[in-house]
Amino acid sequence: MPGMRRRRSQVTGQPTEPEASAAAPEPARAPPSAAVVVPRVERFVTGFVGRDGSLTTVRRNAAGQRVVRLQPAEWACFLRTDDLTVSVRAMLRETHYVVGIREEGRWTRVLWADPRVRLRCCARDGWFAKHGIATFEADVDPVRRWLTDHDHGIARPRRVFLDLEADSRIAVKAKEQARMLAWSIYDPAAPEGSRSRHEVLAEDSDVAEKNLITSLWQALDPYDQVCAWAGDWFDFPYLDARTARRGLRPERRLWLWLDHLTLYRRLNAHAAESGDEKQSLSLDAVARSLGLGGKLEGVDRAQSWDEWLRDPERLGRYCARDSELTSLIEDQTGYIELQQTLAESTFVFADSAGIGPKQQVESFMLRLGRERGTRFPTHHYRDEEEAEEEERFRGAYVMEPARGILRDVHVCDFARLYPSIILTWNMSPETWRPELSPPAPEKRPSYLAHLPPAESPRPEGVCEAPLTRRFFANEPAGLLPIAIAEMLRLRKAWDDRKKSAAPGTPEWVDADRRSSAYKIAGNSFYGVVGSQFSRFFVREVAEAVAQAGVWLLRETMAAVERWGENQGRKIAVAYADTDSAFVTGCSQQEFDEFVTWCNRELYPQLLRQQGCTRNHVNLAYEKAFRKIVFVGKKRYAGSFLHYKGKSATEDSKPEIKGLEYKRGDTLRLARELQRDVIYRLLGYRIPESERPEDFEAMVELAKRHVLGGSLPLHDVVFAKKLAKAVSQYARKRKADGEFAAQPAHVEVARILAERGEDVGKGRRIEYVVVDGEANPIKVVPASDFDGTYDAHYLWESAVWPPTQRVLEAAFPAQDWSRHDRVRPPRERPMTARQQAAAAQRKLFG
DNA sequence: GCTAAGGCATCACCC
DNA sequence: TAGGGTGATGCCTTAGCG
């Protein structure tokens, strides 16, 4: 029927009807951006519950003007219509707490006058629970409610980068007290020459500061999204504090506030090569690591007040350089654009709050649920205590690796293991059939306890998750699989578009970014289902996913063993972790054939036995190592033979995993020695060697270096992050009633805090060990370093052990222990008994 | 009174 | 406030010994 358009899912961009009729055929291969380009009612920049309690939505009209709309906020919950008895209906109608009841088919929407009453009535022990009535989505706030219930989209915000300078004389801790000295914004979309703007405090007065801040808010007005490096820690709260102090009351929620650093950290976590690169995430350090040059030379932010006195304009330029640098980092990484893609496809606003996967997954799933007529049970807040009581579920399998130097090790891994499992078994909270699971052994009658559980035939229409013996309905497709399939579909579509574009072109870059975004999103769904803080948390489902992975990996390992037996050769699995297996004893071509066989024969057969009607499991031959040394589980170093079929050259860097070289909390000297030894062993940049004496020489040299000279601070400093606020670390009491010593970095953080430094959560604490023999060890803040350090401790505890473990793994026959001790034996006064014994020996010889 | 072993907390990593 | 699995280190307590 020409002209008639079928309603499409706003979530998946696919027809909502399960089958496409002949009259309305499947639309021609939907463009990759289907979920994005489907016409929506409107696209919004942001939304919030305003000061007067109304839902405030923000968008731009065609002319680019900001349109702010107010409407009643819906504090809603859902009940099953079937649960509504006459008396419950009457109750709801009578109470003035409820302002509306709307029947929407299976579901009845209840609108509340007061969010607190809604929460109380729908609480775990609330009124509804007491009356045996389940509530749904009672925790969803009005903004999310509105985004879920309507087909609105997320707009592409007008973006600007911001940097602020504050009076340096006020400690960072009390930054709200410090006068604002300058601001700068950078608009990468503006014409060249007018991208950067800055303004400097005219004089040291409240009036001047008020003018400065007023002009900043005016400058921000054309924009929707404000990005700043570490903005959540400094710029945003600081701007709010100074704005309020100067008596200004702009509605800050008209903007999206995005902390560029938080985003960078999340998306760049896996990119760092060595521990060195994990040392600092300051704007300057990150810009330099990206080859963007540094900040303006000769200006010290810690001296901003003096700088302002001396040369205000210079301070302004310094400030401007920072906002520009932030923008350049985005040009280079595209992380903000990537998040924008995620935000648009999962229906979250593109601010700091939308960075986490939980927000994205929940938002997407809520809308998917609405489209499919499903509402989710009310999610109840859990505090940390409750969280700790929650039992953890069993996760992945990790094999103890073979030790020694291994050669020609072929590695296969499952493509997108957990997503493929969820799709294959149709795993989802609502497809799980708990009533089919065999009773747990302890729940069986005691007279049967000694017998293995009876193998009951699998019921029709379900598949069985291995190891956990949990059952999932094969049809209809679950919400979780639907969501993941959509992410995979979009990823594939953008991958295809990427392939058709010329590398490096804007189109290619955009496709690459979107492909990455959907990969990230697809992989995050599992984690959210496994998180007890999520509304979709079902431990049994998450465990079933992980254990199916264990089973697939074990079956693959067993197949390798059988293959070797059939061949009459020693083909063996040297190591395996979660979704990968490292195999020795075969050729590249043989391994390729093995992987193909697994995909073609092994998995289809195994999955049929489990009752699966789909198969998304796929094993890939990822890479091979010419030479590899395992130091332990999750810790190895190897040089490539090939990667995805592409042969390695002598320029190919070795792959190092888990070793101290990769860690940011180890001593620099330790990383360097370990790296040198690994490079020598693998023949990267220096001639390859397997003669222990060559390594003895390297160790001796390093030892002399550590024990010999006066090392500079950067060679002796330890750095560890505070995982929480200093006050949150438990201070134990010893048996004698005294406080027990805390980890060194926490003790140092306490000292720094007393000096007025800002030592919040996440801060890296640097310290030097001055006496490693004391108990507890004696440390000082790195800033107090005066050349004193405990060289023996450095060698024995920090530098040597990491390298020793590598050498012991590579050369188990060699005795490496002679390097263990370098500290001269302690002169100890003899005990009375020892003195007597010595005297006796002297007397009687 | 000393030492070694083991429990526990902590960090940072792998997948 | 996406998951579990892992190893290394340091602090403390305690068992074992003489």
Side-chain angles (χ1 to χ4, degrees):
Chain A
M1 254 177 275
M4 183 174 162
R5 302 191 72 152
R6 281 188 312 142
R7 182 183 155 77
R8 291 234 198 108
S9 161
Q10 296 294 313
V11 176
T12 63
Q14 301 287 16
T16 40
E17 293 90 350
E19 68 278 320
S21 72
E26 189 76 16
R29 188 83 196 134
S33 51
V36 178
V37 296
V38 163
R40 298 187 184 287
V41 177
E42 274 164 334
R43 287 165 164 256
F44 287 84
V45 167
T46 186
F48 55 93
V49 177
R51 286 169 188 156
D52 64 351
S54 58
L55 174 65
T56 310
T57 60
V58 183
R59 64 185 179 87
R60 296 267 170 189
N61 65 16
Q65 293 158 318
R66 181 188 279 137
V67 180
V68 179
R69 194 166 69 199
L70 303 185
Q71 54 190 302
E74 262 194 17
W75 301 94
C77 77
F78 292 90
L79 308 173
R80 286 197 193 95
T81 303
D82 289 348
D83 284 353
L84 289 179
T85 58
V86 177
S87 63
V88 171
R89 274 177 210 274
M91 281 287 284
L92 292 176
R93 237 175 256 126
E94 268 163 42
T95 173
H96 61 278
Y97 290 126
V98 171
V99 293
I101 306 173
R102 219 157 54 218
E103 208 175 300
E104 302 172 1
R106 288 170 57 207
W107 302 102
T108 295
R109 184 187 298 248
V110 178
L111 301 176
W112 298 80
D114 183 331
R116 283 161 303 186
V117 177
R118 173 184 74 153
L119 220 54
R120 215 182 306 138
C121 291
C122 301
R124 246 174 261 168
D125 54 352
W127 189 88
F128 288 106
K130 282 181 187 139
H131 288 74
I133 298 172
T135 68
F136 297 81
E137 301 182 10
D139 57 303
V140 174
D141 70 273
V143 180
R144 177 58 51 215
R145 181 81 273 144
W146 169 77
L147 270 174
T148 301
D149 290 345
H150 299 86
D151 293 334
H152 299 314
I154 303 295
R156 178 160 292 273
R158 298 166 167 228
R159 181 175 305 146
V160 74
F161 294 87
L162 168 77
D163 188 56
L164 304 176
E165 297 299 330
D167 181 352
S168 54
R169 295 172 304 174
I170 315 294
V172 189
K173 219 171 161 182
K175 53 184 183 280
E176 302 78 23
Q177 312 291 327
R179 194 180 294 294
M180 190 185 292
L181 298 181
W183 59 257
S184 74
I185 58 171
Y186 187 88
D187 174 2
E192 188 114 34
S194 59
R195 289 178 188 163
S196 184
R197 277 186 65 186
H198 66 266
E199 199 166 312
V200 185
L201 184 70
E203 57 172 48
D204 183 17
S205 74
D206 291 353
V207 175
E209 190 186 23
K210 187 171 182 177
N211 290 338
L212 181 72
I213 294 171
T214 303
S215 74
L216 171 58
W217 283 107
Q218 283 166 356
L220 289 178
D221 196 58
Y223 302 99
D224 304 314
Q225 184 186 47
V226 185
C227 308
W229 199 257
D232 285 350
W233 274 265
F234 176 69
D235 303 73
F236 305 153
Y238 174 68
L239 175 60
D240 292 339
R242 295 315 288 180
T243 300
R245 201 179 181 94
R246 293 284 76 89
L248 300 167
R249 285 197 81 197
E251 177 47 89
R252 72 184 302 279
R253 291 176 296 178
L254 293 172
W255 287 266
L256 296 162
W257 302 90
L258 179 66
D259 185 344
H260 198 174
L261 168 61
T262 303
L263 190 60
Y264 181 89
R265 191 187 290 132
R266 182 176 283 276
L267 293 173
N268 204 53
H270 307 293
E273 156 66 19
S274 75
D276 289 9
E277 293 165 41
K278 293 164 190 163
Q279 295 296 318
S280 174
L281 284 177
S282 72
L283 178 59
D284 197 36
V286 170
R288 274 179 205 285
S289 77
L290 293 171
L292 297 171
K295 300 180 156 217
L296 203 59
E297 290 294 329
V299 181
D300 183 0
R301 170 164 267 163
Q303 304 292 322
S304 64
W305 176 256
D306 301 311
E307 194 64 42
W308 177 75
L309 281 178
R310 199 163 40 235
D311 187 349
E313 180 45 33
R314 208 174 130 75
L315 181 69
R317 287 202 308 275
Y318 172 83
C319 182
R321 174 67 182 156
D322 271 12
S323 53
E324 186 190 358
L325 270 184
T326 322
S327 175
L328 291 175
I329 289 175
E330 169 58 12
D331 286 348
Q332 195 95 351
T333 62
Y335 288 161
I336 298 178
E337 273 302 304
L338 194 154
Q339 197 221 356
Q340 180 62 31
T341 301
L342 280 172
E344 286 174 18
S345 24
T346 59
F347 313 104
V348 298
F349 293 127
D351 58 9
S352 291
I355 291 178
K358 184 182 166 230
Q359 289 295 324
Q360 296 166 6
V361 169
E362 295 208 350
S363 164
F364 186 85
M365 293 288 282
L366 276 171
R367 198 186 277 205
L368 189 61
R370 188 263 293 175
E371 286 189 350
R372 309 257 159 174
T374 301
R375 302 288 180 185
F376 296 95
T378 297
H379 181 58
H380 301 288
Y381 173 81
R382 285 188 192 208
D383 59 30
E384 278 176 23
E385 215 168 287
E386 287 170 285
E388 265 171 42
E389 284 167 20
E390 176 70 49
E391 237 178 272
R392 288 170 39 125
F393 58 85
R394 286 177 299 154
Y397 168 74
V398 186
M399 179 187 154
E400 189 65 45
R403 298 302 164 100
I405 297 171
L406 304 180
R407 283 166 225 284
D408 294 338
V409 179
H410 304 272
V411 183
C412 57
D413 65 351
F414 289 101
R416 310 171 303 270
L417 179 63
Y418 289 174
S420 72
I421 288 170
I422 290 168
L423 290 170
T424 299
W425 274 270
N426 198 33
M427 288 175 176
S428 196
E430 82 284 3
T431 54
W432 178 38
R433 302 281 300 276
E435 74 279 7
L436 298 179
S437 287
E442 64 269 23
K443 285 184 186 154
R444 302 166 68 205
S446 58
Y447 58 87
L448 288 177
H450 63 288
L451 296 170
E455 289 292 325
S456 50
R458 184 168 13 85
E460 277 296 299
V462 300
C463 54
E464 178 179 343
L467 303 184
T468 52
R469 299 217 65 198
R470 293 192 180 121
F471 296 88
F472 295 88
N474 278 320
E475 301 297 338
L479 290 172
L480 191 58
I482 290 173
I484 286 174
E486 175 62 6
M487 293 297 141
L488 295 181
R489 185 186 72 81
L490 286 163
R491 167 131 211 255
K492 170 129 194 356
W494 284 107
D495 263 347
D496 290 347
R497 180 166 288 193
K498 184 177 143 191
K499 276 182 202 133
S500 70
T505 57
E507 196 194 355
W508 183 90
V509 170
D510 183 55
D512 180 58
R513 225 167 250 164
R514 289 177 187 273
S515 160
S516 308
Y518 294 118
K519 180 189 181 183
I520 292 169
N523 286 335
S524 61
F525 276 83
Y526 161 74
V528 174
V529 173
S531 165
Q532 47 177 315
F533 301 106
S534 151
R535 71 175 65 249
F536 309 113
F537 174 58
V538 181
R539 194 198 312 108
E540 291 83 354
V541 175
E543 188 171 61
V545 175
Q547 293 311 298
V550 172
W551 179 77
L552 280 169
L553 184 56
R554 285 218 165 113
E555 290 290 341
T556 307
M557 291 167 65
V560 170
E561 302 296 333
R562 287 198 302 272
W563 174 33
E565 279 163 24
N566 292 340
Q567 299 275 315
R569 279 190 285 151
K570 198 176 179 306
I571 303 174
V573 178
Y575 178 58
D577 183 352
T578 310
D579 63 352
S580 65
F582 295 57
V583 177
T584 55
C586 61
S587 73
Q588 194 168 329
Q589 193 197 332
E590 286 172 326
F591 194 66
D592 198 53
E593 286 163 8
F594 171 75
V595 169
T596 305
W597 172 81
C598 285
N599 288 324
R600 197 174 297 158
E601 314 262 340
L602 179 63
Y603 304 136
Q605 192 205 332
L606 287 172
L607 295 175
R608 268 197 304 276
Q609 286 167 9
Q610 300 300 119
C612 298
T613 54
R614 306 167 175 88
N615 175 12
H616 293 264
V617 174
N618 186 267
L619 191 69
Y621 180 5
E622 191 194 22
K623 60 194 170 189
F625 290 101
R626 180 181 62 83
K627 187 173 173 182
I628 188 167
V629 176
F630 290 102
V631 180
K633 288 177 173 180
K634 298 183 185 287
R635 294 160 60 81
Y636 57 86
S639 54
F640 288 114
L641 192 63
H642 71 84
Y643 190 89
K644 291 188 175 163
K646 211 169 162 187
S647 292
T649 67
E650 48 181 44
D651 292 329
S652 308
K653 257 198 169 180
E655 184 160 80
I656 301 176
K657 297 285 190 189
L659 298 179
E660 284 71 8
Y661 169 73
K662 294 281 280 186
R663 297 178 64 111
D665 62 344
T666 53
L667 206 69
R668 204 180 78 133
L669 286 170
R671 292 196 295 268
E672 285 174 355
L673 178 59
Q674 195 182 52
R675 179 201 60 200
D676 291 348
V677 162
I678 289 168
Y679 283 5
R680 186 84 214 260
L681 198 57
L682 301 175
Y684 177 70
R685 288 189 178 160
I686 39 177
E688 188 167 342
S689 167
E690 282 182 28
R691 292 164 15 121
E693 54 269 35
D694 289 339
F695 294 92
E696 290 280 4
M698 294 175 76
V699 172
E700 281 300 339
L701 200 66
K703 196 199 291 180
R704 274 203 295 279
H705 179 60
V706 171
L707 298 179
S710 45
L711 297 171
L713 176 64
H714 71 250
D715 274 341
V716 300
V717 68
F718 290 85
K720 281 185 173 54
K721 264 189 205 136
L722 286 177
K724 44 195 172 187
V726 177
S727 57
Q728 299 299 107
Y729 286 87
R731 279 191 102 174
K732 280 196 190 166
R733 294 257 182 203
K734 291 190 293 185
D736 62 7
E738 296 288 305
F739 277 123
Q742 292 184 304
H745 70 298
V746 180
E747 296 285 356
V748 170
R750 211 180 286 285
I751 295 171
L752 296 177
E754 276 165 26
R755 295 181 187 171
E757 281 193 47
D758 184 26
V759 281
K761 181 180 166 179
R763 163 82 190 265
R764 283 171 62 83
I765 304 296
E766 297 187 317
Y767 60 93
V768 175
V769 176
V770 292
D771 183 0
E773 236 184 339
N775 194 2
I777 57 173
K778 247 191 229 154
V779 298
V780 297
S783 48
D784 292 3
F785 181 64
D786 62 357
T788 316
Y789 59 88
D790 185 340
H792 299 118
Y793 171 84
L794 285 188
W795 177 259
E796 290 181 0
S797 297
V799 179
W800 171 232
T803 293
Q804 182 182 26
R805 287 187 285 270
V806 173
L807 289 170
E808 279 177 345
F811 308 107
Q814 183 89 353
D815 179 19
W816 297 97
S817 66
R818 67 189 192 84
H819 304 287
D820 291 0
R821 297 213 49 90
V822 290
R823 195 189 292 279
R826 208 181 341 174
E827 296 280 330
R828 269 201 314 250
M830 275 189 281
T831 61
R833 189 182 291 222
Q834 283 170 326
Q835 278 175 21
Q840 291 256 317
R841 275 197 300 276
K842 207 168 182 183
L843 265 178
F844 303 106

